[in-house]
Amino acid sequence: MVECIAHLGLAGLTVLAWLGLGSILLAPLSAPADRSLDALNRVGAGAIGFALLTFAAGWSGALHRPAYLSVFALAALAGFVVAARLASKLRLPAVGEWRWWERALGALLTASVVLGALATCAPISSPDALLYHAADPALFEGANRIFEVTWNSSSYEPFTVEMLVLDGLLLWNPVQGAFAPFLLALLALAAVLGAADRIAGRGAALLGGAIFFAQPFMVWEATSVFVEPGLAAAVALAGWNLLRFIRHHERSALVLGGVFTGSAAGMKYLGLIAALALVVAGVTLAWRRLTRSDLLAFAAPALLIALPWYVKNAILTGNPLYPHIFGGLNESAAAELERSMGDFGHGRSVLD
């Protein structure tokens, strides 16, 4: 229990570090009028910033714990200052005024978050995590650098979330690394609640949050060192920012919509599909007033955030989408992929 409390404390400091770095990175942009969205944008941008900094440090051979801890401490200190300022303007929800079923949904969400936190404290047991989500970051942490994992086909996926898992390893151990996806799941939940509240009110927001998070599949996803919680957070934040642009024409919201759309593409190849869906939705809803500068304000940060992962594959393999499109698997990775796919279900026919 003491160790779990320590992990939770470091997770809280991690959120402060993300908030601090994100506030620094977003300083040139005007903050959205919606304070909740502003706070979540800062946390999300900080997480992406830490992932890309870790990626750069790892490939340059500068992945050392003292250097990371120094950056982490400074960012957390900045985050504490920002959090204190934001908290002074925060209005706590008047739960006593909620209807009974809203309180029930709130209690259900609270229980799911608590159970998720406890499950994340447990030793890592997910097969995918033991294969690469946590295993590859452990290799990188031990070598003080990032390198090509030629025997693992999944290592050629975009690795944004795995970089945050690596940060947790530098902070303490693999369990701390597992808290990064869990924190991203909470960020996704907060974005779902906030955006739904702006669209349809408190009751719909609580119902939407419960459907999204208060069910066994999501709790399992959030606590198993998977990428999908990060992908969900990126999509939810991109969607909320695009909604702000469509409703209020805030240029900064459009830029941040691009940042988080690019982040989705930098977390998993399937994030490209999510990014395309966001683009289609945004253009469909706002095409009458979109200008070339609007398109550039969205596309430039999206490409800038996503590109490092595809450039990495192009350099290592000659194929930016290696190994899933256009072939090119090396022999050992191809054998691993065939074994892994053989473990999923029974048979490959239409009937199966």
Side-chain angles (χ1 to χ4, degrees):
M1 181 56 71
V2 173
E3 190 170 309
C4 184
I5 293 172
H7 282 301
L8 291 170
L10 284 175
L13 289 176
T14 298
V15 174
L16 287 178
W18 291 355
L19 175 63
L21 181 60
S23 298
I24 294 169
L25 294 175
L26 299 185
L29 292 177
S30 58
D34 191 315
R35 291 172 181 168
S36 296
L37 177 59
D38 178 34
L40 296 181
N41 281 339
R42 293 168 188 248
V43 174
I48 301 304
F50 263 106
L52 291 177
L53 285 173
T54 302
F55 177 75
W59 281 104
S60 63
L63 194 66
H64 300 290
R65 178 174 277 108
Y68 170 75
L69 291 178
S70 298
V71 173
F72 179 86
L74 290 173
L77 180 61
F80 178 81
V81 174
V82 174
R85 188 174 71 247
L86 293 175
S88 66
K89 303 174 183 178
L90 180 67
R91 290 190 306 169
L92 295 176
V95 178
E97 299 175 3
W98 291 9
R99 289 163 286 189
W100 69 267
W101 60 269
E102 290 176 334
R103 290 197 294 270
L105 288 174
L108 182 62
L109 280 169
T110 301
S112 297
V113 170
V114 170
L115 288 173
L118 291 174
T120 308
C121 286
I124 294 172
S125 59
S126 160
D128 280 2
L130 295 174
L131 175 63
Y132 65 99
H133 287 310
D136 286 355
L139 292 174
F140 302 152
E141 187 267 337
N144 293 322
R145 64 184 180 90
I146 295 174
F147 52 89
E148 182 181 5
V149 186
T150 56
W151 60 88
N152 185 347
S153 63
S154 297
S155 70
Y156 296 97
E157 286 270 2
F159 249 27
T160 296
V161 175
E162 284 80 1
M163 293 297 97
L164 297 176
V165 174
L166 175 54
D167 287 347
L169 280 159
L170 291 169
L171 194 57
W172 188 2
N173 62 13
V175 170
Q176 196 63 48
F179 268 91
F182 179 68
L183 293 176
L184 291 172
L186 298 185
L187 179 62
L189 173 61
V192 167
L193 289 169
D197 179 67
R198 304 310 183 268
I199 295 169
R202 182 181 64 223
L206 289 167
L207 180 60
I211 292 171
F212 170 67
F213 195 86
Q215 31 99 354
F217 180 75
M218 186 59 194
V219 174
W220 171 70
E221 280 275 0
T223 61
S224 300
V225 202
F226 288 159
V227 171
E228 284 73 20
L231 186 55
V235 170
L237 286 173
W240 191 355
N241 278 287
L242 290 175
L243 177 67
R244 286 292 304 181
F245 172 73
I246 292 165
R247 286 186 167 181
H248 306 285
H249 207 71
E250 291 180 351
R251 177 60 67 87
S252 61
L254 182 62
V255 172
L256 286 162
V259 166
F260 292 116
T261 299
S263 300
M267 290 181 176
K268 194 170 186 175
Y269 286 130
L270 291 177
L272 289 168
I273 299 173
L276 178 61
L278 288 164
V279 169
V280 170
V283 170
T284 300
L285 294 171
W287 70 273
R288 290 181 182 276
R289 64 181 186 215
L290 284 175
T291 64
R292 289 183 179 178
S293 61
D294 288 334
L295 295 174
L296 181 62
F298 175 84
L303 290 173
L304 183 65
I305 296 297
L307 207 55
W309 305 105
Y310 299 88
V311 170
K312 182 262 293 183
N313 278 356
I315 293 173
L316 293 180
T317 71
N319 179 353
L321 296 176
Y322 175 100
H324 299 277
I325 299 178
F326 308 127
L329 275 173
N330 62 63
E331 185 176 343
S332 59
E336 178 271 322
L337 181 61
E338 184 177 359
R339 288 194 305 270
S340 296
M341 292 300 100
D343 290 336
F344 284 92
H346 299 280
R348 295 292 182 272
S349 70
V350 174
L351 181 60
D352 290 322

